[in-house]
Amino acid sequence: IETSYNAEFEVSPFQTGYCVVLHEIRAKFIAKPQIHVASNFEEGSCEYSEVLFHEQKHIEALRLFHRKQTKNLRAKLREVSKAIPAVKPVPQEEVKRIQKKLLQYVQVEMNGYFQEILKELQQTQQKIDSPEEYQRVAKKCRKWEQKLSKQPD
């Protein structure tokens, strides 16, 4: 999962310098799931299919999490943006530094929130990797020992 932020600022001349205000912020919350099946398992084999089926459960959990959290992250971004501390007017040569500082504030706050919600995803993924699930997978195929002891290509 990746996040990135892009901000636009209003910079207005003032008597004692320039006022820098966050005008708009956009965030990307991207999930790029990938499945890798060990080369011990030939494509089309029972073991390959069962590993793939199990891993697709993780992908589906990630997609559901992403759908659910996109709305929550949007709301949190609005909340964080409204809470940005006011900045006194600064000299023109300080404008870029202040813009960076304001964006960093948003990133730090959002990253903290993001770490919290990732715990939910981690718990969901751990439930998928339950002993019962591994027993189910193990019972589906007969050649696990042979395939697992084989050296990968």
Side-chain angles (χ1 to χ4, degrees):
I1 294 180
E2 298 174 10
T3 56
S4 64
Y5 306 91
N6 186 10
E8 291 181 20
F9 297 91
E10 265 184 40
V11 180
S12 307
F14 197 68
Q15 295 168 342
T16 57
Y18 288 82
C19 289
V20 180
V21 177
L22 179 66
H23 176 69
E24 184 178 347
I25 187 154
R26 288 176 295 286
K28 289 184 181 177
F29 172 46
I30 303 167
K32 295 182 179 180
Q34 294 181 341
I35 295 177
H36 299 281
V37 178
S39 61
N40 301 48
F41 308 118
E42 303 90 34
E43 194 169 339
S45 69
C46 177
E47 293 79 11
Y48 182 96
S49 297
E50 286 304 315
V51 169
L52 187 60
F53 182 72
H54 171 81
E55 293 304 319
Q56 285 171 336
K57 290 181 179 183
H58 287 290
I59 300 291
E60 184 58 25
L62 177 60
R63 285 189 178 125
L64 290 171
F65 171 82
H66 187 268
R67 246 181 264 132
K68 174 185 173 189
Q69 292 301 336
T70 297
K71 182 177 161 186
N72 295 342
L73 283 163
R74 195 174 288 130
K76 182 66 176 180
L77 185 60
R78 274 191 217 99
E79 177 188 314
V80 168
S81 297
K82 289 178 182 176
I84 293 174
V87 179
K88 294 179 184 178
V90 296
Q92 187 173 10
E93 60 271 9
E94 291 289 309
V95 168
K96 291 283 184 206
R97 184 184 68 78
I98 294 300
Q99 288 173 333
K100 185 176 178 182
K101 183 178 172 183
L102 294 175
L103 183 56
Q104 284 176 334
Y105 173 85
V106 171
Q107 290 172 323
V108 166
E109 293 297 313
M110 291 302 295
N111 288 344
Y113 177 73
F114 197 67
Q115 293 307 313
E116 284 300 310
I117 65 171
L118 279 178
K119 291 176 186 175
E120 176 189 329
L121 176 61
Q122 194 172 35
Q123 289 172 348
T124 301
Q125 299 292 19
Q126 286 173 346
K127 287 178 187 174
I128 292 170
D129 288 332
S130 69
E132 296 80 20
E133 171 66 2
Y134 285 126
Q135 287 173 358
R136 183 198 69 74
V137 170
K139 289 178 185 176
K140 290 283 186 172
C141 307
R142 291 176 284 149
K143 297 182 182 178
W144 287 108
E145 292 299 321
Q146 177 186 344
K147 304 263 173 132
L148 289 170
S149 64
K150 176 183 167 188
Q151 291 297 314
D153 298 332

